[in-house]
């Protein structure tokens, strides 16, 4: 509106100087009336554009928010067991459980196997966000880890009995709520939020950022994963990325530990891609990323909106890539079955205790052992202390270099 008034004033003054508006009647008046009508029309047009833009913005916001599925059943189940859940120790620190589901139900997932009416946690990561939002630590929990699983509510309303079993059995029996309770029992860490994503959602996210580059030391030819890639730098699309993070038999030593480390390196590369200005500052590229990310998510009700997600991640964009850390919980072969895992103690409890207290940990690459050494670190509450260094990597590392 201000622009219209300024433009109208400039035009009238020019007309006066040319003698077109000196008389209150005749051609000058006719032209002034026409210009007033034009000014009113222009103002109306500007108003329509502003309203339309606001409406489009609200429509986009509403669509993206509606994409997210709230996990109301899990929230109700966790509320039922609130008294037995751990207490959060550090204000503003956040612990989010990221669950990758191997469900074959839903669009695009059937090609990865038959839908047997149940799903398991193919990948589970405990993401700790420091209270000052200067670091993030992602801890992979092996699906073959032998753990105590509490009695949980099944999908049909019945309840299971407590059992000592593989970790991914928790999700199969009682979904995300059972997995959260199992993790809390294992770590004594309060889970503040959770997110569940399936195969199709993972692929869409990768495709939305135009693929993610990885560096391969040797070619890959895995028929089971439908993956054939050359050595060197390769940009993976969504389908290839899914095969890459899920493959076991033909890559590395075939262990689940090696597979988790590969997943961590890939997630680091994905973080780098999303953090790049080419994505975050380009609305044309950012919208598909947000659409894919929200469409693939089932979250706790508090996160099930763009506002909730924004409040969670708004400080994460300022975390340097070298402070985004990935590691696997210290594990070893289960004493009674070499095909299963058990925690390495006391190293695992040391890791959980530091995350629980929001104290620093460090990661370094190594092929020999899970916990490498003690390194000096700052403990705000008790002065200088030793920050344990675990086998892992950061989002800043590139395997080709």
């Amino acid at each position: 509106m201000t622009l219209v008034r300024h433009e109208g004033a400039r035009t009238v003054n020019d007309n006066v100087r040319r003698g077109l508006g000196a008389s209150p009647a005749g051609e000058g008046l006719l032209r002034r009336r026409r210009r007033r009508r034009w000014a009113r029309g222009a103002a109306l047009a500007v108003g329509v554009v502003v309203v339309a833009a606001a409406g489009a913005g609200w429509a986009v916001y509403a669509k993206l928010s509606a994409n997210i599925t709230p996990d109301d059943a899990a929230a109700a189940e966790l509320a039922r067991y609130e008294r037995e859940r751990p207490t959060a120790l550090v204000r503003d620190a956040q612990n989010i459980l990221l669950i990758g589901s191997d469900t074959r139900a839903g669009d695009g997932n059937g090609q990865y196997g038959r839908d047997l009416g149940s799903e398991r946690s193919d990948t589970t990561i405990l993401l700790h966000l420091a209270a000052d939002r200067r670091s993030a630590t992602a801890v992979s929990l092996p699906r073959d880890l032998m753990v105590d699983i509490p009695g949980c509510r099944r999908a049909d309303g019945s309840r299971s009995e407590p059992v000592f079993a593989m970790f991914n059995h928790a999700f199969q029996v009682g979904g995300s709520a059972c997995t959260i309770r199992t993790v809390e029992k294992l770590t004594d860490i309060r889970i503040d939020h959770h997110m569940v994503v399936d195969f199709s959602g993972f692929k869409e996210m990768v495709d939305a950022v135009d693929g993610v580059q990885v560096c391969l030391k040797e070619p890959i030819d895995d028929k089971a994963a439908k993956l054939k890639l050359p050595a060197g730098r390769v940009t993976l699309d969504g389908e290839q990325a899914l095969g890459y993070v899920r493959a076991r038999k033909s890559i590395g030593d075939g262990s689940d530990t090696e597979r988790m480390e590969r997943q961590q390196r890939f997630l680091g590369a994905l973080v780098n891609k999303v953090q790049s200005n080419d994505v975050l500052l380009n609305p044309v590229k950012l919208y598909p990323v947000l659409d894919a990310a929200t469409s693939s998510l089932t979250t706790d009700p508090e996160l099930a909106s763009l506002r909730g997600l924004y409040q969670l991640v708004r400080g994460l964009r300022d975390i340097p890539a070298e402070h985004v850390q990935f590691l696997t919980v210290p594990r070893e072969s289960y004493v009674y079955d070499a095909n299963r895992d058990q925690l390495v103690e006391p190293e695992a409890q040391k890791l959980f205790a530091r995350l629980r207290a929001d104290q620093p940990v460090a990661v370094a690459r190594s092929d020999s052992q899970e916990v490498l050494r003690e390194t000096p670190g700052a403990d705000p509450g008790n002065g200088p202390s030793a920050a344990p260094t675990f086998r892992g990597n950061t989002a800043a590392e590139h395997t080709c270099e």
Side-chain angles (χ1 to χ4, degrees):
M1 292 297 291
T2 301
L3 289 176
V4 172
R5 286 199 299 270
H6 288 175
E7 178 64 22
R10 182 192 63 78
T11 302
V12 169
N13 289 338
D14 288 349
N15 287 343
V16 169
R17 282 194 293 270
R18 292 197 297 265
L20 298 177
S23 170
E27 185 177 4
L29 178 59
L30 178 60
R31 292 188 180 183
R32 287 198 299 273
R33 287 174 176 170
R34 288 174 178 170
R35 287 191 176 91
R36 290 192 190 105
R37 288 196 296 269
W38 176 87
R40 288 195 296 269
L44 178 61
V46 171
V48 170
V49 169
V50 170
V51 171
W58 173 251
V60 169
Y61 177 89
K63 179 183 184 303
L64 295 177
S65 287
N67 283 347
I68 307 170
T69 302
D71 199 347
D72 295 319
E77 179 72 354
L78 292 173
R80 178 188 178 100
Y81 291 95
E82 178 60 35
R83 290 187 177 181
E84 71 178 37
R85 300 183 64 196
T87 300
L89 300 183
V90 180
R91 181 182 176 86
D92 294 330
Q94 294 280 293
N95 296 294
I96 302 99
L97 200 65
L98 311 176
I99 304 171
S101 167
D102 71 353
T103 180
R104 269 62 170 182
D107 295 340
N109 293 321
Q111 61 182 303
Y112 305 107
R114 291 189 301 119
D115 178 13
L116 301 178
S118 64
E119 53 184 322
R120 292 168 296 181
S121 51
D122 194 61
T123 300
T124 304
I125 295 175
L126 173 59
L127 176 62
H128 174 77
L129 306 180
D132 61 10
R133 296 302 189 267
R134 294 181 180 176
S135 66
T137 302
V139 181
S140 295
L141 301 173
R143 63 183 184 181
D144 296 340
L145 187 67
M146 299 301 294
V147 297
D148 288 310
I149 299 174
C152 297
R153 184 182 184 278
R154 297 188 181 97
D156 63 5
S158 63
R159 306 201 71 86
S160 66
E161 294 295 325
V163 63
F164 183 70
M166 288 170 52
F167 174 67
N168 68 348
H169 182 68
F171 194 76
Q172 182 178 9
V173 171
S176 52
C178 193
T179 301
I180 290 169
R181 293 178 59 215
T182 299
V183 171
E184 290 184 339
K185 185 178 181 66
L186 179 72
T187 66
D188 199 29
I189 295 173
R190 172 82 177 205
I191 302 301
D192 301 292
H193 302 290
H194 70 277
M195 303 179 184
V196 183
V197 62
D198 62 18
F199 292 159
S200 181
F202 175 83
K203 292 190 303 179
E204 290 174 2
M205 182 67 181
V206 174
D207 285 332
V209 297
D210 295 329
V212 174
Q213 186 182 85
V214 297
C215 300
L216 307 178
K217 295 181 179 179
E218 55 188 31
I220 297 176
D221 188 359
D222 189 319
K223 292 182 174 59
K226 300 178 181 179
L227 194 63
K228 189 170 185 178
L229 301 169
R233 295 180 183 273
V234 181
T235 298
L236 305 180
D237 62 22
E239 190 70 43
Q240 293 169 325
L242 181 61
Y244 177 72
V245 299
R246 297 191 68 236
R248 289 181 63 173
K249 298 180 181 178
S250 65
I251 306 178
D253 60 11
S255 69
D256 197 41
T257 297
E258 199 280 338
R259 185 179 74 116
M260 286 185 291
E261 291 173 355
R262 191 178 342 115
Q263 292 172 351
Q264 293 162 7
R265 292 193 296 272
F266 180 85
L267 289 175
L270 178 59
V271 168
N272 269 328
K273 187 66 176 286
V274 173
Q275 279 189 334
S276 71
N277 289 343
D278 188 44
V279 174
L280 293 180
L281 298 183
N282 186 338
V284 175
K285 291 189 176 182
L286 182 58
Y287 175 78
V289 173
L290 293 176
D291 191 31
T294 53
S295 296
S296 66
L297 286 181
T298 297
T299 76
D300 56 280
E302 189 175 344
L303 288 187
S305 70
L306 280 187
R307 181 183 297 274
L309 288 176
Y310 174 74
Q311 290 176 342
L312 174 67
V313 306
R314 62 183 174 181
L316 302 186
R317 62 184 178 184
D318 297 325
I319 298 179
E322 60 270 20
H323 293 166
V324 179
Q325 305 176 127
F326 300 90
L327 65 144
T328 299
V329 63
R331 43 75 54 202
E332 63 188 1
S333 294
Y334 180 48
V335 64
Y336 298 114
D337 186 344
N339 294 318
R340 302 290 179 261
D341 291 331
Q342 65 184 25
L343 295 179
V344 174
E345 299 295 5
E347 287 81 2
Q349 292 307 317
K350 183 184 297 185
L351 171 63
F352 299 149
R354 296 193 75 86
L355 294 178
R356 188 163 54 245
D358 196 34
Q359 295 176 344
V361 297
V363 299
R365 298 177 64 182
S366 170
D367 297 326
S368 58
Q369 53 187 344
E370 296 285 354
V371 178
L372 306 176
R373 61 183 180 274
E374 300 287 334
T375 58
D379 183 344
N382 302 307
S385 66
T389 300
F390 295 87
R391 175 178 174 175
N393 62 283
T394 73
E397 295 179 26
H398 301 282
T399 55
C400 283
E401 299 175 357

